[in-house]
Amino acid sequence: AEAEPRPFLSGDQTRLGFEPEPHGQSFPVRRTSLQEELVNAAHVYDVAISYMRRAMTLARQGVLHLDSAEQVVRGIVDSLRNNPDALTALPRIIQRDKYFYTHNVNVSILLAAFYIALGENEDEVVAASLAGLFHDLGMAFLPKSLLSSRKGLSATEKSLVTRHPVFGHSLLADAMGNMQPQVLLAVLEHHERYDGAGYPKGIGRNTISRIGHLTAL
């Protein structure tokens, strides 16, 4: 029997809303040299990390810090448009305890880069970057001891971890305001899988949104 087609290939591109790039189009035109943009990219990255550290701390208290979120992601998007090689080279996990907030920033950068490469408009790129920034918001509701654990998780602990998309979605939905709906979808669906083996709902290929697929990737 023929193997099931892999996601994001051939016909799946059309189904998920992907459009092939026009022949000869490259991603994207570099406005500055790598050396020049690295200075700005390092600043953008540090600002984003500082923002996310505070946002995740406040989320533990049930408070959503949105005041400067769009400013943070516009800095990310502008740097990627200047020279994508600079900012995409910076994401890194320095210490295990910092994964809690650095991971969100790194995903924000990659999602924005994906959407720029797909030729999406500015609003869509900004929404994707916001989705990455907040996708793991629900991790703030897990015990710190669980986040830093180096041993295997018990069944109870695994059950709690699989609820973090719901926790983050609930907090974001309650205080969403004018934020784009893609952000909520990314938070809820970023651990769903193409074969239906993900969580929290176990939905599959025909139900997961495009932003859900890309955030999971």
Side-chain angles (χ1 to χ4, degrees), residues 26-99:
S26 60
F27 155 70
V29 175
R30 286 155 178 76
R31 299 172 180 169
T32 62
S33 70
L34 175 61
Q35 185 174 4
E36 289 174 320
E37 188 55 32
L38 275 172
V39 176
N40 178 55
H43 173 70
V44 166
Y45 193 73
D46 287 345
V47 168
I49 291 293
S50 296
Y51 168 80
M52 206 62 224
R53 183 189 294 114
R54 175 168 169 74
M56 295 296 271
T57 300
L58 289 174
R60 284 189 178 279
Q61 304 166 27
V63 178
L64 189 58
H65 177 41
L66 293 174
D67 292 353
S68 52
E70 186 164 336
Q71 181 180 348
V72 168
V73 300
R74 286 196 180 277
I76 289 172
V77 172
D78 287 347
S79 180
L80 288 170
R81 291 200 184 280
N82 286 341
N83 191 318
D85 297 335
L87 193 54
T88 53
L90 291 177
R92 59 201 183 278
I93 301 169
I94 302 171
Q95 297 176 18
R96 187 180 179 87
D97 61 342
K98 291 184 179 180
Y99 178 86

Side-chain angles (χ1 to χ4, degrees), residues 11-164:
D12 289 327
Q13 289 183 327
T14 302
R15 185 181 59 76
L16 292 174
F18 285 68
E19 293 293 339
E21 287 186 293
H23 180 70
Q25 179 175 323
S26 60
F27 155 70
V29 175
R30 286 155 178 76
R31 299 172 180 169
T32 62
S33 70
L34 175 61
Q35 185 174 4
E36 289 174 320
E37 188 55 32
L38 275 172
V39 176
N40 178 55
H43 173 70
V44 166
Y45 193 73
D46 287 345
V47 168
I49 291 293
S50 296
Y51 168 80
M52 206 62 224
R53 183 189 294 114
R54 175 168 169 74
M56 295 296 271
T57 300
L58 289 174
R60 284 189 178 279
Q61 304 166 27
V63 178
L64 189 58
H65 177 41
L66 293 174
D67 292 353
S68 52
E70 186 164 336
Q71 181 180 348
V72 168
V73 300
R74 286 196 180 277
I76 289 172
V77 172
D78 287 347
S79 180
L80 288 170
R81 291 200 184 280
N82 286 341
N83 191 318
D85 297 335
L87 193 54
T88 53
L90 291 177
R92 59 201 183 278
I93 301 169
I94 302 171
Q95 297 176 18
R96 187 180 179 87
D97 61 342
K98 291 184 179 180
Y99 178 86
F100 184 52
Y101 43 87
T102 57
H103 174 64
N104 291 276
V105 174
N106 295 347
V107 173
S108 176
I109 291 168
L110 292 176
L111 273 175
F114 285 160
Y115 269 62
I116 291 172
L118 289 168
E120 298 289 354
N121 64 42
E122 193 75 2
D123 288 343
E124 292 293 326
V125 174
V126 168
S129 193
L130 281 169
L133 203 63
F134 290 121
H135 83 281
D136 250 353
L137 193 67
M139 296 293 282
F141 296 92
L142 302 183
K144 287 185 177 181
S145 59
L146 185 59
L147 295 173
S148 60
S149 176
R150 293 179 179 271
K151 62 180 182 179
L153 302 179
S154 68
T156 301
E157 289 171 331
K158 287 180 180 178
S159 178
L160 184 60
V161 169
T162 62
R163 296 294 293 164
H164 81 266

